[in-house]
Amino acid sequence: MQQHISLETILAMEKQRRVHFINSLGGFKSVSLVGTVDQSGNENLGIFSSIIHIGANPPLIALLFRPSPPERDTLRNILETGFYTINHINEKIFKQAHQTSARYDAAVSEFDVTDLKSEYKDGFFAPFVLKSNVQLGIEFKEKIDIAINNTTMVIGEINHVYYPENCLGEDGFLDLEKANTITCSGLDSYHKTVQLDRLSYAKPDKDLISLLQN
Protein backbone atom coordinates (compact mmCIF):
# COMPACT_ATOMS: atom_id res chain seq x y z
CA MET A 1 0.00 0.00 0.00
CA GLN A 2 1.30 3.46 -0.89
CA GLN A 3 2.30 5.65 2.05
CA HIS A 4 1.84 9.41 2.39
CA ILE A 5 3.91 12.09 4.12
CA SER A 6 2.73 15.72 4.24
CA LEU A 7 4.77 18.91 4.38
CA GLU A 8 3.90 19.26 8.05
CA THR A 9 5.31 15.79 8.76
CA ILE A 10 8.45 16.54 6.75
CA LEU A 11 9.10 19.74 8.69
CA ALA A 12 8.57 17.92 11.99
CA MET A 13 11.15 15.22 11.18
CA GLU A 14 14.44 15.03 13.06
CA LYS A 15 16.98 17.02 11.02
CA GLN A 16 19.18 14.19 9.77
CA ARG A 17 16.19 12.00 8.93
CA ARG A 18 14.64 14.86 6.96
CA VAL A 19 17.90 15.50 5.10
CA HIS A 20 18.20 11.86 4.01
CA PHE A 21 14.53 11.68 3.05
CA ILE A 22 14.43 14.84 0.93
CA ASN A 23 17.78 14.13 -0.73
CA SER A 24 16.51 10.74 -1.90
CA LEU A 25 13.33 12.13 -3.52
CA GLY A 26 15.04 13.52 -6.60
CA GLY A 27 15.82 10.01 -7.82
CA PHE A 28 19.12 8.74 -9.16
CA LYS A 29 21.63 11.50 -9.82
CA SER A 30 24.96 12.05 -11.51
CA VAL A 31 27.81 12.15 -9.00
CA SER A 32 31.28 13.49 -9.76
CA LEU A 33 34.44 14.87 -8.22
CA VAL A 34 35.12 18.57 -8.73
CA GLY A 35 38.79 19.49 -8.84
CA THR A 36 40.14 22.98 -8.18
CA VAL A 37 43.39 24.68 -7.24
CA ASP A 38 43.95 28.12 -5.74
CA GLN A 39 46.39 30.76 -6.94
CA SER A 40 49.03 29.41 -4.52
CA GLY A 41 48.83 25.90 -5.94
CA ASN A 42 46.79 24.32 -3.13
CA GLU A 43 44.59 21.61 -4.65
CA ASN A 44 41.04 20.82 -3.56
CA LEU A 45 38.72 17.94 -4.43
CA GLY A 46 35.05 17.57 -3.52
CA ILE A 47 32.19 15.22 -4.37
CA PHE A 48 29.03 16.72 -5.93
CA SER A 49 25.67 15.17 -6.81
CA SER A 50 24.07 18.50 -7.72
CA ILE A 51 25.32 18.64 -11.31
CA ILE A 52 22.87 20.04 -13.85
CA HIS A 53 22.89 20.09 -17.66
CA ILE A 54 22.18 23.66 -18.82
CA GLY A 55 22.61 23.58 -22.60
CA ALA A 56 24.53 22.16 -25.56
CA ASN A 57 25.30 25.29 -27.59
CA PRO A 58 27.30 26.62 -25.89
CA PRO A 59 28.02 23.49 -23.83
CA LEU A 60 27.07 24.55 -20.30
CA ILE A 61 26.90 22.65 -17.03
CA ALA A 62 26.02 23.82 -13.52
CA LEU A 63 26.90 23.02 -9.92
CA LEU A 64 24.75 23.85 -6.91
CA PHE A 65 26.49 24.89 -3.68
CA ARG A 66 24.91 24.76 -0.25
CA PRO A 67 24.97 27.86 1.97
CA SER A 68 28.13 29.08 3.69
CA PRO A 69 29.37 28.80 6.39
CA PRO A 70 31.12 26.44 6.47
CA GLU A 71 33.62 27.82 4.00
CA ARG A 72 33.26 26.30 0.53
CA ASP A 73 36.83 25.88 -0.74
CA THR A 74 35.67 24.63 -4.13
CA LEU A 75 33.44 27.66 -4.69
CA ARG A 76 36.12 30.08 -3.58
CA ASN A 77 38.70 28.53 -5.90
CA ILE A 78 36.31 28.59 -8.87
CA LEU A 79 35.48 32.26 -8.37
CA GLU A 80 39.13 33.21 -7.83
CA THR A 81 40.68 31.27 -10.73
CA GLY A 82 37.80 30.74 -13.18
CA PHE A 83 38.57 27.07 -13.82
CA TYR A 84 37.61 23.67 -12.44
CA THR A 85 37.18 20.04 -13.50
CA ILE A 86 34.30 17.59 -13.24
CA ASN A 87 35.43 13.98 -13.01
CA HIS A 88 33.04 11.02 -13.24
CA ILE A 89 33.27 8.45 -10.45
CA ASN A 90 33.68 4.75 -11.18
CA GLU A 91 33.50 1.54 -9.13
CA LYS A 92 37.21 1.60 -8.32
CA ILE A 93 37.24 5.01 -6.64
CA PHE A 94 33.76 5.60 -5.16
CA LYS A 95 34.85 5.06 -1.54
CA GLN A 96 37.75 7.47 -1.90
CA ALA A 97 35.40 9.90 -3.65
CA HIS A 98 32.91 9.71 -0.77
CA GLN A 99 35.68 10.51 1.73
CA THR A 100 36.22 13.89 0.05
CA SER A 101 32.90 15.00 1.59
CA ALA A 102 34.65 15.23 4.97
CA ARG A 103 35.33 18.80 6.13
CA TYR A 104 39.09 19.06 5.80
CA ASP A 105 40.97 22.26 6.50
CA ALA A 106 41.60 24.43 3.43
CA ALA A 107 45.32 23.67 3.65
CA VAL A 108 44.67 19.92 3.38
CA SER A 109 44.34 18.47 -0.13
CA GLU A 110 41.68 15.80 -0.54
CA PHE A 111 43.83 14.43 -3.37
CA ASP A 112 46.50 13.60 -0.77
CA VAL A 113 44.32 12.20 2.02
CA THR A 114 42.37 9.92 -0.34
CA ASP A 115 45.30 8.99 -2.59
CA LEU A 116 43.35 10.17 -5.64
CA LYS A 117 46.18 11.50 -7.77
CA SER A 118 45.76 14.73 -9.71
CA GLU A 119 46.87 15.29 -13.27
CA TYR A 120 47.21 18.39 -15.45
CA LYS A 121 46.96 18.30 -19.23
CA ASP A 122 46.67 20.49 -22.31
CA GLY A 123 47.61 23.56 -20.30
CA PHE A 124 44.35 23.55 -18.33
CA PHE A 125 44.67 25.36 -15.00
CA ALA A 126 42.66 23.01 -12.74
CA PRO A 127 43.56 19.42 -11.79
CA PHE A 128 41.80 16.36 -13.18
CA VAL A 129 41.41 13.10 -11.22
CA LEU A 130 43.84 10.59 -12.68
CA LYS A 131 41.66 7.50 -12.08
CA SER A 132 38.46 9.07 -13.45
CA ASN A 133 37.47 7.67 -16.83
CA VAL A 134 35.41 10.67 -17.99
CA GLN A 135 36.90 14.09 -17.25
CA LEU A 136 35.60 17.58 -18.09
CA GLY A 137 37.60 20.80 -18.03
CA ILE A 138 35.25 23.68 -17.18
CA GLU A 139 35.61 27.47 -17.43
CA PHE A 140 33.49 29.54 -15.03
CA LYS A 141 30.85 31.72 -16.73
CA GLU A 142 28.15 32.81 -14.28
CA LYS A 143 27.21 32.77 -10.59
CA ILE A 144 23.54 32.86 -9.55
CA ASP A 145 22.52 33.39 -5.93
CA ILE A 146 19.26 31.63 -5.04
CA ALA A 147 17.56 33.67 -2.33
CA ILE A 148 14.91 31.16 -1.23
CA ASN A 149 17.46 28.93 0.56
CA ASN A 150 20.75 30.86 0.25
CA THR A 151 22.32 28.39 -2.18
CA THR A 152 24.52 29.31 -5.15
CA MET A 153 24.47 28.00 -8.70
CA VAL A 154 27.70 28.15 -10.68
CA ILE A 155 27.47 27.76 -14.46
CA GLY A 156 30.51 26.81 -16.52
CA GLU A 157 31.38 26.13 -20.14
CA ILE A 158 32.87 22.76 -21.07
CA ASN A 159 36.32 23.41 -22.59
CA HIS A 160 37.75 19.88 -22.64
CA VAL A 161 36.32 16.34 -22.53
CA TYR A 162 38.37 13.17 -22.01
CA TYR A 163 36.83 9.68 -22.24
CA PRO A 164 37.85 6.06 -22.95
CA GLU A 165 38.09 4.86 -26.52
CA ASN A 166 35.11 2.92 -27.90
CA CYS A 167 32.66 4.87 -25.70
CA LEU A 168 31.56 7.49 -28.23
CA GLY A 169 28.85 6.52 -30.72
CA GLU A 170 28.48 7.77 -34.29
CA ASP A 171 25.52 9.93 -33.24
CA GLY A 172 27.51 11.61 -30.45
CA PHE A 173 26.08 9.54 -27.59
CA LEU A 174 28.71 8.84 -24.91
CA ASP A 175 28.11 5.39 -23.40
CA LEU A 176 28.70 5.96 -19.69
CA GLU A 177 28.19 2.31 -18.82
CA LYS A 178 31.15 1.39 -20.99
CA ALA A 179 33.10 4.10 -19.18
CA ASN A 180 32.09 2.51 -15.83
CA THR A 181 30.46 5.74 -14.59
CA ILE A 182 28.30 5.13 -11.51
CA THR A 183 25.32 7.04 -10.12
CA CYS A 184 24.00 7.85 -6.65
CA SER A 185 20.83 8.39 -4.66
CA GLY A 186 20.50 10.44 -1.52
CA LEU A 187 23.75 11.49 0.13
CA ASP A 188 25.55 8.17 0.54
CA SER A 189 24.13 5.44 -1.72
CA TYR A 190 26.09 4.50 -4.85
CA HIS A 191 24.79 2.42 -7.76
CA LYS A 192 25.81 0.73 -10.99
CA THR A 193 23.42 1.07 -13.93
CA VAL A 194 21.80 -1.29 -16.43
CA GLN A 195 20.69 0.19 -19.75
CA LEU A 196 17.13 -0.74 -20.70
CA ASP A 197 17.13 0.80 -24.16
CA ARG A 198 17.78 3.91 -26.24
CA LEU A 199 14.64 5.21 -27.92
CA SER A 200 14.10 7.26 -31.06
CA TYR A 201 13.08 10.92 -30.94
CA ALA A 202 9.44 11.07 -29.88
CA LYS A 203 6.96 12.47 -32.44
CA PRO A 204 3.14 12.65 -32.16
CA ASP A 205 2.25 10.17 -34.92
CA LYS A 206 5.30 7.95 -35.09
CA ASP A 207 6.06 4.72 -33.23
CA LEU A 208 9.15 4.63 -31.03
CA ILE A 209 12.09 2.64 -32.34
CA SER A 210 14.85 1.05 -30.30
CA LEU A 211 18.15 2.64 -31.28
CA LEU A 212 20.00 -0.39 -29.94
CA GLN A 213 18.51 -2.62 -32.65
CA ASN A 214 19.52 -0.42 -35.57
Side-chain angles (χ1 to χ4, degrees):
M1 179 181 293
Q2 192 174 40
Q3 303 295 303
H4 168 247
I5 293 180
S6 67
L7 174 60
E8 290 76 17
T9 304
I10 292 172
L11 295 178
M13 284 180 177
E14 182 271 328
K15 178 182 177 182
Q16 202 58 37
R17 179 177 172 83
R18 182 174 64 249
V19 167
H20 280 294
F21 180 66
I22 296 301
N23 270 278
S24 65
L25 296 182
F28 294 110
K29 303 172 287 186
S30 60
V31 59
S32 294
L33 287 163
V34 176
T36 61
V37 62
D38 65 20
Q39 297 287 6
S40 300
N42 299 307
E43 295 177 336
N44 180 268
L45 188 65
I47 190 169
F48 282 76
S49 60
S50 55
I51 301 170
I52 307 161
H53 164 79
I54 298 295
N57 187 21
L60 300 176
I61 197 165
L63 298 174
L64 194 65
F65 289 84
R66 289 177 291 172
S68 296
E71 178 69 20
R72 305 295 176 188
D73 298 325
T74 298
L75 178 59
R76 185 189 66 246
N77 290 348
I78 290 174
L79 297 179
E80 286 183 358
T81 69
F83 297 95
Y84 54 106
T85 66
I86 295 177
N87 306 267
H88 287 203
I89 297 170
N90 55 62
E91 288 183 70
K92 294 182 179 179
I93 63 172
F94 79 94
K95 291 183 179 179
Q96 294 161 285
H98 184 78
Q99 184 61 33
T100 66
S101 63
R103 294 179 181 174
Y104 293 103
D105 185 82
V108 176
S109 170
E110 290 82 0
F111 281 102
D112 293 336
V113 296
T114 62
D115 198 32
L116 286 169
K117 305 299 184 184
S118 64
E119 65 172 339
Y120 293 83
K121 44 194 177 185
D122 293 321
F124 195 72
F125 183 80
F128 297 90
V129 177
L130 180 63
K131 293 182 179 179
S132 172
N133 296 330
V134 178
Q135 307 164 322
L136 313 178
I138 312 295
E139 182 178 359
F140 168 74
K141 289 299 178 180
E142 186 173 351
K143 171 178 172 284
I144 300 173
D145 294 319
I146 302 172
I148 193 170
N149 64 347
N150 198 31
T151 53
T152 299
M153 177 179 285
V154 167
I155 299 174
E157 185 175 59
I158 301 171
N159 286 183
H160 300 277
V161 182
Y162 303 92
Y163 55 88
E165 60 181 356
N166 302 323
C167 286
L168 184 64
E170 290 295 327
D171 64 353
F173 178 76
L174 188 63
D175 191 330
L176 298 183
E177 281 191 0
K178 284 185 179 179
N180 196 225
T181 292
I182 65 170
T183 184
C184 77
S185 61
L187 297 172
D188 51 20
S189 184
Y190 300 90
H191 308 262
K192 295 191 293 183
T193 64
V194 176
Q195 186 182 48
L196 299 179
D197 207 340
R198 282 190 69 205
L199 299 177
S200 58
Y201 189 84
K203 295 184 178 181
D205 299 311
K206 188 173 182 180
D207 291 338
L208 294 174
I209 298 173
S210 171
L211 300 181
L212 299 183
Q213 299 174 7
N214 291 275

